[in-house]
Amino acid sequence: MVCPKCGASNPNTERYCEQCGNPLIEAMASAGRRRPLVILAVLGLLTAGGVYADERVNLQPSDRELERVESCSDGGTLRIAGDPAYSGHPWHLVATVPEIRERHFAVTRAEEKWVQDMSGPAYYVRRYERNGQRVLVWDLCKSHECNEYALYAAFDLGSKTYVIELNEKGRGRRLGTSISVAEAAIACAKAEDAKRKSQ
């Protein structure tokens, strides 16, 4: 597959250009070609695992999908998948929302492949809300190494600010631009996850 943006040659199994990070999925769709078999296999696995593949182009969760609301200690709320459950995995957001994709590749270019691809076990994408601000937040970990490598990511829908809080073997670091509402979203998601795991 030749990247329409930079002209680099890429293996047909790649979702993004190895040279510039441009999505190859859109290039194939606009060229009238089928998506790579690997993408279909991943969607099939998600469907087989009880998560249903979503046909929308922009996979931001809707209010209907995020019907469960939990209170956060800072006065904000966390909207969580209800029924029907939001079917988007974190990599869906990176693949389908241009603002997230652009910022994601800008901050993860030098990171390990699991971070770049947003591949690994994950909980549903959630939305944090406080004082009219809305932030998509999600977590993810490296397959077979969740206790050692994990991340939380937040995307502020207003300012389009993107931050990843990465934990590698107990060492934390941030990628991207951190703002207080994104930090609050991540803190609320962490607290909700801790509560869910303790039940």
Side-chain angles (χ1 to χ4, degrees), residues 80-113:
I80 303 164
D83 186 21
Y86 168 62
S87 60
H89 188 275
W91 72 262
H92 288 128
L93 287 176
V94 173
T96 67
V97 183
E99 297 93 353
I100 295 176
R101 180 177 53 245
E102 291 164 11
R103 285 153 183 83
H104 178 76
F105 283 113
V107 302
T108 64
R109 217 171 279 275
E111 300 301 322
E112 287 188 52
K113 193 153 178 63

Side-chain angles (χ1 to χ4, degrees), residues 91-167:
W91 72 262
H92 288 128
L93 287 176
V94 173
T96 67
V97 183
E99 297 93 353
I100 295 176
R101 180 177 53 245
E102 291 164 11
R103 285 153 183 83
H104 178 76
F105 283 113
V107 302
T108 64
R109 217 171 279 275
E111 300 301 322
E112 287 188 52
K113 193 153 178 63
W114 74 274
V115 176
Q116 291 177 0
D117 291 350
M118 283 282 152
S119 60
Y123 192 57
Y124 295 117
V125 174
R126 295 159 276 182
R127 191 173 66 222
Y128 172 83
E129 299 173 350
R130 184 182 72 191
N131 300 328
Q133 295 174 301
R134 296 162 27 125
V135 178
L136 296 178
V137 61
W138 60 91
D139 64 296
L140 183 85
C141 63
K142 187 175 183 179
S143 292
H144 309 291
E145 298 184 70
C146 284
N147 292 333
E148 299 288 324
Y149 299 92
L151 66 78
Y152 277 83
F155 179 74
D156 180 12
L157 292 165
S159 70
K160 309 297 185 209
T161 303
Y162 183 64
V163 64
I164 296 175
E165 187 177 285
L166 190 58
N167 185 345

